[in-house]
Amino acid sequence: MVQTKYQKMIVITAPSGAGKTSITRHLMKVFPQLSFSVSAATRKPRSNEKKGIDYYFISVEEFQQKILNEEFVEWEMVYEGKYYGTLKSELKRIWNNEQIPVLDIDVQGAIHVQKEYPVNSLFIFIKPPSIQELTKRLESRGSESKDSLEARVNKAAYELSFAHQFNNVIENKDFETACNEAVRIVKGFINN
Ligand code: 5GP
C-alpha cells in the first residue's frame, strides 16, 4: 500500500503491561485528529471489550485467509496461537477521514512497520520501570491466567531489548509524566 507524504501514522509500542494502552487513550482524548487503528485479533474478547472498538475479533481461519489475501500491513502471532494484525483497510478508512491512525501494537509488529513506512511515521516505545513492576501491573489487571501471565512477562523481558531501535523512548515510571512526554512528542509530529 502506498503511503503518500500527507498520510501520517503514529505507532505506540511496548511490552505488554508497560502502560501503552492507557497512554494511547490519553493521546486520543487530547488530539481529536487521531483515530485508534482497530486491529484484527483471534483471541477471545475480555468482558469489557467491544467488537469493532477494541478489536475486530475473528477466527483463526478468517485471519489466515486475510494473510493470504495480503490484507495486512503487518501481522504477528503475538502469543502462542493468537494472531494480531493491522488491516490495510483500517488505515485507509482513517486516512480517508483525514485523521491520523494510532497503532497500539507489539514490538515486532512496530519494527516491521518501521521498515515498511520509514517516512511520515512516528514511533514511540513505552518502557516499564522494571520487569518486577511490569509483573505487578499484569497481576493487578487480573485478566491473565498463570500461564498467560508467565508468557507475557517472558516476552516483555525479550521485547525490552529492542528499545534502542526506536527514536522516542518514554519510561512509564509516573503515568502523568509519561503522558505529558507523549503529548509533547505527538504535538511536534502533528504540527510538523
Ligand atoms: P492484548 O491481548 O493485551 O490486547 O494485546 C497483546 C499485544 O498485542 C499488545 O502488545 C498489543 O499492543 C499487541 N497488538 C494489538 N494489535 C496488534 C496488531 O495489530 N499487530 C501487532 N503486531 N500487535 C498487536
Side-chain angles (χ1 to χ4, degrees), residues 20 39 43 46 55 74 76 78-79 84-86 104-106 109 141 152:
K20 73 174 178 307
S39 295
R43 75 156 167 73
R46 297 185 185 128
Y55 285 106
E74 62 77 38
E76 297 287 329
V78 176
Y79 299 108
Y84 295 76
T86 307
D104 168 343
I105 62 177
D106 88 324
R141 193 154 87 181
R152 280 172 190 253

Side-chain angles (χ1 to χ4, degrees), residues 171-188:
E171 185 176 310
N172 186 11
K173 204 170 183 176
D174 170 66
F175 181 63
E176 204 181 319
T177 312
C179 281
N180 290 343
E181 177 68 358
V183 166
R184 189 187 60 76
I185 295 169
V186 168
K187 199 181 267 173

Side-chain angles (χ1 to χ4, degrees), residues 73-91:
V73 174
E74 62 77 38
W75 63 269
E76 297 287 329
M77 188 181 277
V78 176
Y79 299 108
E80 186 80 27
K82 305 281 185 278
Y83 291 99
Y84 295 76
T86 307
L87 291 159
K88 292 177 182 172
S89 58
E90 182 67 2
L91 297 190

Side-chain angles (χ1 to χ4, degrees), residues 120-170:
N120 275 334
S121 306
L122 173 72
F123 294 86
I124 301 178
F125 186 100
I126 313 285
K127 210 173 141 179
S130 65
I131 286 290
Q132 286 84 344
E133 180 59 32
L134 182 133
T135 310
K136 236 170 46 190
R137 286 183 195 173
L138 283 174
E139 276 169 353
S140 68
R141 193 154 87 181
S143 58
E144 310 308 322
S145 65
K146 193 169 168 287
D147 281 356
S148 164
L149 182 86
E150 202 176 295
R152 280 172 190 253
V153 171
N154 286 340
K155 186 168 147 61
Y158 172 68
E159 287 183 323
L160 268 178
S161 67
F162 292 92
H164 69 278
Q165 297 203 16
F166 296 89
N167 284 342
N168 302 287
V169 179
I170 299 176

